[in-house]
Each structure stands twice: as C-alpha cells, then as structure tokens.
Amino acid sequence: MNHEVTRIVAATACISIAAEAQAEPDLRITEVYPGIAGDSGGVDWIEVTNFGTSDFDLTDLLVNGQPPCEGNPNNVPGLQVAPSQVKVIVMGLAGDDEKEAARDKLREIWGDIPNPVFTVGSGIEEVGDTVVLRNALGDIVDEVSFTATDTNSGQSLATLEVFNGQVAASIEGLNGAFRSAPFVNDLLGPPGATIQLIGSPGVVPEPASLCLLAVGTMGLIHRRRA
C-alpha cells in the first residue's frame, strides 16, 4: 500500500470514527479577518466550518448578537451548513443595501467565494477582539479571541491552525492559505501603493484536519466552548 493510499484510508477511518462519536452539527470558527487600518481594508469576515455529521441551520445563529442574512437569493439550501462545509460570514454592515457592495469587495480581494452570508451590525476590531457564536437560546456555540499580535499587526488573517490549535497569522501555502489580489490601502505604504493579504476564506480543511478537530484531540488556545 503506497503512501497516498495509506493517507486516504487513514483519513477516511478517522472521519468515520468522528462521525460515530458525534452525530450532530458542530459549527466552529475556523478563520477571522478583522480588517486593516486605513481606507479600503476590505470588509470584515469570519469563516465557519461544520465539523459535525448533520446540517447546521444558520438562521438560528447569532454572531456577536446579530443574525446572519441570506447572501444570495439562489443559495440552495438556504442558510444550511452541511457537514464538512465552510461558510464565509461578512460582518459590520449598516443595512441590506450594503450587501452587494460587500460581496463585490470580497470578490475583488479574495476571488469567488460561493454564497457568502452577512450580518448587520458591528464589525471586528483589528487591534484585538472576541467573536462569539450563539444559538437561538443564547448559548455559546463557539468563541475566538485574538490580539493585534496574533494577526501580524493587522496585515494578515487570524486563523485557527488546525494542527496546533493556535490563533495566529495565516501563512501562505499552509492549510490552504493563499495571497489575495493586490489592492490600494491609504495607510500601509506610499500613496497609490498596493498591498496583499494572506488567508483561506471558503477553503475546506484537509481530511486529516477535519479528523483532528472532530475527535476533539486538541486543546484550543484563546477559545472557550460552552
């Protein structure tokens, strides 16, 4: 049995064990983009991943106290997050009329992200913040805190590195992280200069990563689950 076949078999077996142990939805924050200083820093967003074995209904979710709004009228099956699926939730909009502009900005910087959803309310502070997911009863579903140091002075993403549980800046080429399209920012460089970010919005984690999280073998730093 070659290395590739061994890896696939091991990952499949591991996910099967996790499915038996947890036959329910398990939504977790897997990435956070808190914006950057200056004009044209892009919209704030978080990425959530369902590590469970049944759908999670986002219509029952509150992100920092705000419910997500559907991001695309053709989004089927609505706001359901299937097992092993990721969703990008855009933060800090003032109203539904801003959704199209936010979707365009997201696409301009990060490329095509299928069916983003949106919250109307506060954004995320780039100098450090806590993002909290709650269900309809007010119970905490997941929670992530980070500081400016974690996000590399606000110029890249705070992401959950699935192999060590750290909240840290994304690294290009690690866990699907890639370099964004260049765009102009008025503070990070001379006038008219472009910058790039690093992250992996909408990228499904590798099977081994899903396994590690699903079976609960790691203690996550800066996280607390209810």
Side-chain angles (χ1 to χ4, degrees):
M1 184 177 293
N2 63 35
H3 175 74
E4 180 64 17
V5 173
T6 301
R7 186 187 69 82
I8 293 173
V9 170
T12 302
C14 198
I15 292 173
S16 297
I17 293 171
E20 292 176 4
Q22 186 176 314
E24 59 183 15
D26 181 20
L27 196 72
R28 305 193 188 190
I29 301 168
T30 45
E31 198 164 358
V32 177
Y33 174 55
I36 53 177
D39 187 36
S40 192
V43 293
D44 299 358
W45 53 265
I46 66 171
E47 177 195 84
V48 296
T49 303
N50 184 1
F51 292 102
T53 56
S54 61
D55 292 352
F56 189 100
D57 189 352
L58 285 183
T59 59
D60 295 330
L61 188 73
L62 297 176
V63 184
N64 287 354
Q66 299 292 333
C69 308
E70 189 167 358
N72 186 330
N74 299 316
N75 184 8
V76 178
L79 295 181
Q80 298 292 325
V81 185
S84 302
Q85 185 182 33
V86 301
K87 282 282 188 182
V88 172
I89 302 175
V90 180
M91 307 282 290
L93 304 181
D96 287 346
D97 56 341
E98 291 189 356
K99 288 198 299 185
E100 196 61 41
R103 185 184 293 110
D104 290 343
K105 193 65 177 178
L106 195 68
R107 185 183 301 116
E108 173 191 336
I109 295 176
W110 295 107
D112 188 28
I113 297 175
N115 300 320
V117 295
F118 303 87
T119 64
V120 178
S122 63
I124 310 173
E125 293 292 336
E126 65 267 16
V127 295
D129 208 342
T130 298
V131 180
V132 182
L133 307 182
R134 295 181 183 271
N135 61 23
L137 299 176
D139 300 325
I140 293 178
V141 174
D142 198 14
E143 178 177 344
V144 171
S145 297
F146 66 94
T147 67
T149 302
D150 295 321
T151 61
N152 192 25
S153 300
Q155 296 186 45
S156 59
L157 298 179
T159 185
L160 293 179
E161 300 294 353
V162 295
F163 295 108
N164 60 25
Q166 296 276 354
V167 178
S170 295
I171 299 174
E172 186 176 7
L174 180 64
N175 297 332
F178 59 92
R179 192 171 294 273
S180 77
F183 62 98
V184 174
N185 178 274
D186 65 337
L187 289 185
L188 302 179
T194 61
I195 63 169
Q196 290 177 281
L197 304 170
I198 298 173
S200 56
V203 176
V204 178
E206 291 292 325
S209 303
L210 286 170
C211 174
L212 284 172
L213 283 172
V215 299
T217 56
M218 62 174 67
L220 296 179
I221 296 176
H222 294 309
R223 294 171 69 90
R224 176 174 62 83
R225 298 181 56 77

